C-alpha cells in the first residue's frame, strides 16, 4: 500500500490558509437575532447590564460561509495523521485506538450539554460515573484515594510532588531533593523542579534498570522522595522496585510512580504492592483517548491513606445513594483545575474500562507486551541494535539505537523517522531516553494486528537497506507528506500562538525591514 498525503495550498505555496486569510470582515457568518423586547424588559439592555468601558465595539472576525468553514477543516483533517490513519508507535505515549462506542458515550447529550455549574442534584449521573472511575482505578492500582482533577500527566506529577512537599513540611522535615532515574518519564525532572525540589539524577546500570549503588549514594537526609517510571522508558521492568521502596521508606522518603507506562502492567501488578505512596495515571493514554498533540488529557492522582488529606479539593464522595463534591480535605494543596478536570476524557476512560472488564484490562496489557516483544525480536533479526535488555523480555515498549547507522551512512534517527512518514507510518519517539544515542523508542500497543506489526517491521528493514544503498533518499525525506522538512527549532524560537500574535509580529518585521 502506498502513501501520499493530501496537500492543499495556494499558488504561492502557502499551505491551507487560516480563516483570517480566507474570509473577509463583514461577509458571511451567522446572523444573531436581536434580543426580544420581553427579555430586555426583564434583565435590561446590553448597555445597562455591562459596564460601558467593557463593551467591545467590534471583533474583526473573518466572515465565511458554512461550506467554506466545512471545507477548511476537512482539508486540515486530510493533511493530518492520527491513530485512525495508521500505526502510531509513539513510545511512552501509548497511542492506542479509541473505540467509537467510547466516543459516543462521551458525546451523549446528557453529558455534553451538562453545565459545569449544574447543581450536584442535577449531576448525579456524571458524579456517579466519576466516582465509579475512581473505584476502578483503586482496584487496578491498590491506591485507595483519588483525585481526577489534573488535566495532564505532567500536572499529576506536580500535584504528587506538592503533596509530598506539604506532608514533609507538616512533619517538620526539611527535605529539598527529589531522586529521578535517567530512564524516568521525561517530564518528571521539570515537575520536581516546579515543586521546589533539587533534582538528583540516577543513571541506569548496564542491564537498563536503576543502578542500585548510584541510588544508595544519591539518597540522604535531604531526600524527599523518588519519582520512578516502571516499566522504565527503556521498556524494562524495574525488578528491584521492592528493595527501592524499602530503602526510601527507611530513609523517611516517599516513592512516586509515574503512570506513563502503566499499560504494560495494568491488571497484573498493583502499585501498592510495589510500595508506591502516590502516583499519577495517564488516563488519556492507558484507558483510550490518547491526546497526541497537546490535549486534552487527564492525570488522575492516587495515594495511600497517609497522603489522603493532601489531595486537591474538591473530591467526589458517596453518601448513601448520593454523590457530592467534598471540600473536607484538611491539608489539601488546594484546587489545581477549574471545575473537575477534563471530564470528557474521564468519561471515555469510564466507558473503556466498563467495556473491557477485569479480564479485558489484563488481556490488553498482555497483548501490548507480546506485540512489543514480537516487533523487537523481528527488528533484532533485521540487524537493529537494542542497547539495553537484549537478554530479557521487554514490556510494552523498547528502545533501539541507530548510532551505527549514522556512523556508516550519515542517516540519523531524525532522518529515519522522516522516511517512516513517507511510507505512511507515524515515527516512534526520538532521542529519548537520552542515555541512548540516536534513539527510537517504539511502543506498538495492543491495537495493531499481526499484519500491521509485520508491515511496520518490513518498512523499517527496507528503510535501513535504502540508507546503506542510497542514503540521499532517506536524507531528503519526507516527500509524500503534506509538510516536508521543517525548521525543527523555529517553533521554539518564534512563538506565533495566535493570529493576533502573528499579525503583530509580522507588522513589526515589516516596520524594521
Amino acid at each position: 500500500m502506498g502513501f501520499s498525503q493530501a496537500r492543499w495550498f495556494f499558488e504561492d505555496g502557502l499551505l491551507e490558509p487560516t480563516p483570517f486569510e480566507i474570509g473577509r470582515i463583514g461577509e458571511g457568518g451567522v446572523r444573531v437575532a436581536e434580543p426580544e423586547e420581553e427579555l430586555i424588559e426583564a434583565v435590561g439592555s446590553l448597555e445597562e447590564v455591562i459596564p460601558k468601558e467593557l463593551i467591545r465595539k467590534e471583533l474583526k472576525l473573518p466572515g465565511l460561509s458554512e461550506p467554506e468553514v466545512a471545507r477548511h477543516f476537512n482539508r486540515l483533517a486530510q493533511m493530518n495523521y492520527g491513530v485512525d490513519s495508521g500505526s502510531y508507535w509513539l513510545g511512552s505515549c501509548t497511542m492506542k485506538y479509541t473505540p467509537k462506542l467510547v466516543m459516543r458515550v462521551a458525546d451523549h447529550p446528557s453529558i455534553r450539554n451538562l453545565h459545569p455549574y449544574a447543581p450536584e442534584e442535577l449531576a448525579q449521573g456524571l458524579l456517579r460515573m466519576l466516582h465509579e472511575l475512581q473505584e476502578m482505578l483503586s482496584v487496578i492500582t491498590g491506591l485507595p484515594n483519588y483525585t481526577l482533577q489534573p488535566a495532564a500527566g505532567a500536572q499529576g506529577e506536580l500535584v504528587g510532588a506538592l503533596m509530598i512537599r506539604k506532608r514533609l513540611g507538616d512533619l517538620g522535615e526539611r527535605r529539598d531533593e527529589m531522586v529521578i532515574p535517567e530512564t524516568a518519564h521525561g517530564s518528571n525532572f521539570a515537575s520536581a523542579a516546579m515543586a521546589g525540589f533539587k533534582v538528583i539524577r540516577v543513571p541506569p546500570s548496564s542491564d537498563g534498570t536503576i543502578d542500585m549503588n548510584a541510588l544508595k549514594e544519591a539518597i540522604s537526609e535531604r531526600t524527599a522522595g523518588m519519582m520512578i517510571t516502571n516499566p522504565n522508558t527503556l521498556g524494562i521492568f524495574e525488578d528491584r522496585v521492592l528493595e527501592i521502596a524499602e530503602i526510601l521508606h527507611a530513609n523517611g522518603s516517599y516513592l512516586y510512580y509515574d503512570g506513563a507506562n502503566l499499560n504494560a502492567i495494568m491488571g497484573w501488578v498493583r502499585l501498592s504492592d510495589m510500595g508506591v505512596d502516590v502516583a499519577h495515571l495517564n488516563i488519556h493514554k492507558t484507558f483510550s483517548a490518547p491526546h497526541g498533540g497537546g490535549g486534552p488529557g487527564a492525570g488522575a492522582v492516587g495515594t495511600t491513606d497517609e497522603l489522603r488529606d493532601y489531595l486537591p479539593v474538591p473530591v467526589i464522595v458517596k453518601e448513601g445513594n448520593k454523590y457530592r463534591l467534598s471540600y473536607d480535605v484538611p491539608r489539601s494543596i488546594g484546587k489545581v483545575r477549574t471545575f473537575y478536570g477534563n471530564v470528557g476524557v474521564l468519561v471515555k476512560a469510564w466507558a473503556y474500562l466498563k467495556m473491557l472488564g477485569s479480564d479485558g484490562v489484563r488481556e490488553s496489557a498482555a497483548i501490548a507486551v507480546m506485540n512489543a516483544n514480537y516487533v523487537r525480536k523481528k527488528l533484532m533479526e533485521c540487524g537493529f541494535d537494542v542497547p539495553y535488555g537484549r537478554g530479557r523480555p521487554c514490556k510494552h515498549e523498547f528502545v533501539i539505537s541507530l548510532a551505527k547507522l549514522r556512523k556508516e551512512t550519515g542517516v540519523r534517527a531524525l532522518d529515519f523517522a522522516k522516511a517512516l512518514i513517507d511510507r505512511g507510518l507515524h515515527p516512534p519517539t526520538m532521542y529519548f531516553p537520552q542515555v541512548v544515542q540516536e534513539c527510537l523508542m517504539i511502543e506498538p500497543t495492543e491495537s495493531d494486528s499481526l499484519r500491521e506489526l509485520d508491515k511496520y517491521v518490513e518498512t523499517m528493514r527496507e528503510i535501513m537497506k535504502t540508507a546503506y544503498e542510497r542514503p540521499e533518499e532517506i536524507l531528503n525525506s519526507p516527500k509524500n507528506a503534506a509538510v516536508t522538512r521543517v525548521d525543527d527549532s523555529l517553533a521554539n524560537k518564534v512563538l506565533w500562538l495566535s493570529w493576533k500574535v502573528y499579525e503583530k509580529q509580522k507588522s513589526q518585521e515589516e516596520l524594521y525591514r
Side-chain angles (χ1 to χ4, degrees):
M1 181 183 293
F3 173 75
S4 182
Q5 198 168 36
R7 190 167 192 270
W8 296 90
F9 56 93
F10 272 9
E11 292 179 353
D12 58 3
L14 179 69
L15 284 177
E16 176 65 14
T18 68
F20 290 91
E21 294 166 302
I22 302 172
R24 293 183 179 178
I25 297 171
E27 292 186 2
V30 177
R31 299 293 177 189
V32 180
E34 294 293 327
E36 298 173 348
E37 289 297 329
E38 293 83 352
L39 182 64
I40 295 177
E41 291 178 5
V43 300
S45 66
L46 183 69
E47 292 75 13
E48 291 172 327
V49 297
I50 299 178
K52 183 180 178 181
E53 61 273 18
L54 295 181
I55 297 178
R56 300 177 68 174
K57 306 302 181 191
E58 58 182 4
L59 295 180
K60 294 185 178 181
L61 293 176
L64 290 86
S65 67
E66 183 172 329
E68 286 177 315
V69 173
R71 289 164 185 163
H72 169 67
F73 285 104
N74 193 34
R75 288 195 288 262
L76 289 181
Q78 292 172 9
M79 294 193 294
N80 208 343
Y81 188 99
V83 174
D84 287 356
S85 307
S87 297
Y88 207 127
W89 295 2
L90 201 62
S92 268
C93 288
T94 314
M95 302 295 288
K96 62 171 68 177
Y97 175 76
T98 302
K100 298 302 174 235
L101 181 57
V102 168
M103 303 297 287
R104 288 182 63 184
V105 172
D107 194 41
H108 193 279
S110 62
I111 295 173
R112 172 165 35 89
N113 297 335
L114 187 64
H115 196 282
Y117 282 127
E120 291 173 358
E121 58 269 26
L122 298 181
Q124 285 296 298
L126 178 61
L127 289 174
R128 175 180 173 180
M129 294 170 80
L130 298 179
H131 190 269
E132 288 181 357
L133 176 59
Q134 291 180 174
E135 290 184 323
M136 288 188 285
L137 297 181
S138 290
V139 171
I140 291 171
T141 64
L143 298 173
N145 313 288
Y146 267 91
T147 174
L148 304 178
Q149 272 190 50
Q155 192 180 23
E157 296 167 24
L158 179 63
V159 166
L162 290 174
M163 291 169 62
I164 291 174
R165 190 179 75 173
K166 189 165 186 177
R167 172 62 177 167
L168 289 170
D170 286 351
L171 293 174
E173 301 268 7
R174 297 175 62 85
R175 298 170 183 256
D176 60 354
E177 293 182 351
M178 186 67 75
V179 176
I180 304 178
E182 292 180 350
T183 52
H185 197 223
S187 49
N188 286 182
F189 306 89
S191 298
M194 286 183 67
F197 293 110
K198 177 184 177 183
V199 174
I200 308 297
R201 303 169 72 100
V202 176
S205 61
S206 58
D207 69 354
T209 58
I210 294 170
D211 185 322
M212 294 300 290
N213 290 329
L215 174 65
K216 291 172 183 175
E217 290 181 6
I219 292 177
S220 70
E221 69 279 0
R222 296 177 61 183
T223 303
M226 175 177 175
M227 301 178 80
I228 191 172
T229 305
N230 196 15
N232 62 32
T233 55
L234 293 170
I236 300 172
F237 188 80
E238 298 284 356
D239 50 8
R240 298 178 72 175
V241 63
L242 291 178
E243 182 181 348
I244 292 171
E246 288 176 5
I247 293 171
L248 288 165
H249 292 158
N251 189 58
S253 311
Y254 293 94
L255 180 59
Y256 181 92
Y257 179 87
D258 185 309
N261 292 343
L262 183 69
N263 201 52
I265 61 172
M266 63 176 181
W268 294 90
V269 180
R270 296 196 312 173
L271 304 187
S272 58
D273 293 339
M274 293 197 301
V276 170
D277 300 294
V278 55
H280 87 264
L281 309 183
N282 295 82
I283 299 295
H284 50 274
K285 296 180 184 179
T286 314
F287 307 113
S288 80
H291 75 33
V301 173
T303 77
T304 58
D305 286 339
E306 180 185 351
L307 293 168
R308 175 185 57 198
D309 288 346
Y310 298 85
L311 284 169
V313 288
V315 294
I316 299 174
V317 297
K318 181 181 181 183
E319 294 175 347
N321 293 322
K322 299 292 184 182
Y323 301 86
R324 69 179 182 85
L325 300 176
S326 171
Y327 288 80
D328 185 20
V329 185
R331 307 300 304 164
S332 172
I333 63 168
K335 192 172 177 60
V336 299
R337 178 68 165 79
T338 53
F339 304 113
Y340 207 73
N342 285 326
V343 168
V345 178
L346 299 171
V347 170
K348 290 174 192 174
W350 174 88
Y352 182 74
L353 285 171
K354 288 286 186 179
M355 287 173 60
L356 287 184
S358 299
D359 293 340
V361 168
R362 288 166 56 85
E363 187 177 5
S364 62
I367 294 174
V369 172
M370 183 172 64
N371 283 354
N373 279 280
Y374 176 82
V375 172
R376 188 181 74 145
K377 183 174 185 299
K378 288 286 185 180
L379 290 179
M380 288 169 65
E381 291 172 353
C382 293
F384 286 92
D385 178 29
V386 176
Y388 287 96
R390 289 179 65 89
R392 59 189 294 183
C394 66
K395 289 303 177 206
H396 67 309
E397 66 186 10
F398 61 95
V399 165
I400 64 172
S401 171
L402 299 182
K404 180 171 180 286
L405 182 70
R406 179 177 184 178
K407 182 179 180 181
E408 296 176 347
T409 68
V411 171
R412 303 165 296 168
L414 172 69
D415 305 314
F416 201 98
K418 301 296 184 186
L420 281 168
I421 294 175
D422 250 353
R423 290 154 177 79
L425 298 173
H426 196 285
T429 298
M430 300 184 299
Y431 297 107
F432 194 85
Q434 295 173 338
V435 293
V436 177
Q437 294 183 345
E438 297 299 325
C439 170
L440 291 181
M441 187 202 296
I442 301 171
E443 182 181 0
T445 79
E446 68 272 27
S447 299
D448 279 346
S449 65
L450 180 60
R451 182 170 55 252
E452 293 291 331
L453 302 182
D454 286 337
K455 174 186 171 184
Y456 208 111
V457 170
E458 174 55 26
T459 302
M460 291 191 67
R461 188 199 64 76
E462 179 267 320
I463 293 173
M464 175 180 268
K465 183 172 181 288
T466 303
Y468 277 103
E469 294 175 350
R470 303 181 301 281
E472 66 282 358
E473 288 188 19
I474 307 302
L475 295 171
N476 291 325
S477 299
K479 295 179 179 178
N480 300 328
V483 178
T484 54
R485 287 273 173 158
V486 296
D487 186 333
D488 295 310
S489 61
L490 180 66
N492 288 323
K493 296 177 179 176
V494 183
L495 300 179
W496 294 336
L497 301 180
S498 70
W499 175 256
K500 191 176 179 181
V501 172
Y502 170 71
E503 272 202 318
K504 184 178 179 181
Q505 182 74 24
K506 189 178 176 183
S507 62
Q508 289 178 344
E509 289 178 358
E510 290 175 349
L511 186 64
Y512 293 126
R513 191 173 295 167

